[in-house]
Amino acid sequence: MSRVARRVGDKRMLKLIRAFLTAGVLENGLVGTTDEGTPQGGPLSPLLSNLMLDDLDRELERRGLRFVRYADDSNVYVRSERAGQRVMAGLKSFLTGRLKLKVNETKSAVAPPHTRKFLGFTFLNRVQTKRRIAPKALHRFKERVRELTQRSRGVSVDQMIGALKRYLTGWRGYFGFCETPSVLKQLDEWIRRRLRCVFWKQWKRGRTRFRELVARGVDRNLAAQTAGSPHGVWHLSNSPALNKALSNRYFRSLGLPSLGPSPIN
């Protein structure tokens, strides 16, 4: 609190922060006192971490180091592994000695930038450095899209597209900052194949599938061949018939946004 008071002069604000810290925790219906820490997920943690770690920022600036920090997650960039080891040792000493903080040893490392991730991003290991989406972030994205496009959710196609639209718009607003548009293009193609699978399963019978394909402009012979195909749903989702019947233009008409540049067809 004394450290907070150096930066915050409003006594009402200081009283509110202290109330947060001493409010206690509810466990099994009983309120227990708190000796340290802040409420999990509360708005106080980011405020206090920035007040505490502002001293770290000043120290890094004083040393002339290039760095980026978000809350308690920080990356420092140096020219060699040897320099990294030296800087790591100095920062650990500063954090534990001066700021009385614990360093998470399992998440801390001296390593090439392309092997590390930061806020869902990492770098390409090439001569020209580019931001790319970290593999774990891509995995989480696909898992979420799979959840939203499951037929067992019991929602209509319009509701499914609406939920997907909201998710994709928010995700693109954050990860669209990457410098690898080919990855966004591949994700667009994958999403539309997922949706074609949904439509194909929804049409169920061969007769219905044939009728839907023809109604959407597919040649009758091609429609009959596709409707009677023994191939699986995922294979057929990339077939000429389904690409024509459920084109990118059709999905745009439903309001589905693209993650990268808008597909032509």
Side-chain angles (χ1 to χ4, degrees), residues 213-226:
L213 290 175
V214 172
R216 295 164 189 268
V218 179
D219 176 78
R220 294 180 68 86
N221 289 333
L222 180 58
Q225 181 183 351
T226 306

Side-chain angles (χ1 to χ4, degrees), residues 5-17:
R6 296 180 206 166
R7 302 287 297 272
V8 180
D10 190 330
K11 291 184 179 180
R12 294 172 301 173
M13 178 61 72
L14 294 173
K15 184 178 179 180
L16 179 62
I17 293 174

Side-chain angles (χ1 to χ4, degrees), residues 19-35 39:
F20 258 100
L21 294 173
T22 58
V25 292
L26 185 65
E27 207 169 4
N28 298 323
L30 298 174
V31 178
T33 58
T34 49
D35 299 320

Side-chain angles (χ1 to χ4, degrees), residues 21-233:
L21 294 173
T22 58
V25 292
L26 185 65
E27 207 169 4
N28 298 323
L30 298 174
V31 178
T33 58
T34 49
D35 299 320
E36 62 182 6
T38 61
Q40 181 71 28
L44 187 59
S45 295
L47 170 68
L48 295 184
S49 69
N50 277 326
L51 286 172
M52 285 292 294
L53 294 174
D54 185 61
D55 287 356
L56 173 64
D57 296 344
R58 304 295 181 195
E59 179 66 15
L60 292 169
E61 289 173 350
R62 187 186 67 79
R63 297 187 187 188
L65 294 168
R66 298 190 177 201
F67 69 97
V68 57
R69 180 177 69 79
Y70 183 85
D72 62 346
D73 197 356
S74 183
N75 281 7
V76 182
Y77 300 99
V78 293
R79 291 185 179 277
S80 67
E81 183 178 354
R82 184 177 179 183
Q85 297 290 358
R86 185 177 66 251
V87 170
M88 173 73 87
L91 291 181
K92 282 184 179 179
S93 177
F94 178 82
L95 289 167
T96 56
R98 285 275 299 277
L99 300 185
K100 311 300 181 188
L101 297 173
K102 293 180 182 179
V103 177
N104 190 329
E105 298 287 350
T106 60
K107 292 185 178 180
S108 303
V110 176
H114 71 272
T115 66
R116 307 292 291 175
K117 68 179 182 66
F118 183 70
L119 303 178
F121 287 94
T122 184
F123 296 102
L124 281 174
N125 184 25
R126 294 177 182 172
V127 176
Q128 186 180 7
T129 304
K130 290 184 177 181
R131 287 182 305 276
R132 70 183 180 97
I133 304 168
K136 283 187 178 180
L138 289 174
H139 177 73
R140 286 195 299 269
F141 171 81
K142 287 194 169 185
E143 285 298 307
R144 181 57 179 154
V145 171
R146 287 189 182 100
E147 290 175 11
L148 293 174
T149 55
Q150 279 181 351
R151 291 182 66 245
S152 58
R153 291 180 66 224
V155 298
S156 67
V157 171
D158 288 341
Q159 290 174 311
M160 182 184 293
I161 294 290
L164 197 56
K165 176 183 177 181
R166 290 189 293 274
Y167 177 67
L168 295 180
T169 300
W171 193 89
R172 182 182 61 183
Y174 184 81
F175 285 104
F177 185 62
C178 76
E179 295 176 315
T180 50
S182 61
V183 173
L184 299 180
K185 183 176 180 293
Q186 290 167 10
L187 290 177
D188 270 334
E189 293 170 354
W190 178 77
I191 291 167
R192 280 151 181 77
R193 284 191 71 175
R194 287 280 306 177
L195 289 173
R196 290 181 185 114
C197 288
V198 170
F199 277 86
W200 194 245
K201 289 178 180 178
Q202 189 180 52
W203 294 339
K204 293 183 181 179
R205 296 190 173 92
R207 188 179 302 173
T208 306
R209 289 171 172 174
F210 173 77
R211 185 174 63 248
E212 290 287 347
L213 290 175
V214 172
R216 295 164 189 268
V218 179
D219 176 78
R220 294 180 68 86
N221 289 333
L222 180 58
Q225 181 183 351
T226 306
S229 173
H231 290 297
V233 178

Side-chain angles (χ1 to χ4, degrees), residues 230-249:
H231 290 297
V233 178
W234 182 251
H235 179 88
L236 290 174
S237 66
N238 201 33
S239 65
L242 279 177
N243 270 286
K244 181 176 179 62
L246 302 170
S247 65
N248 294 330
R249 185 178 292 106

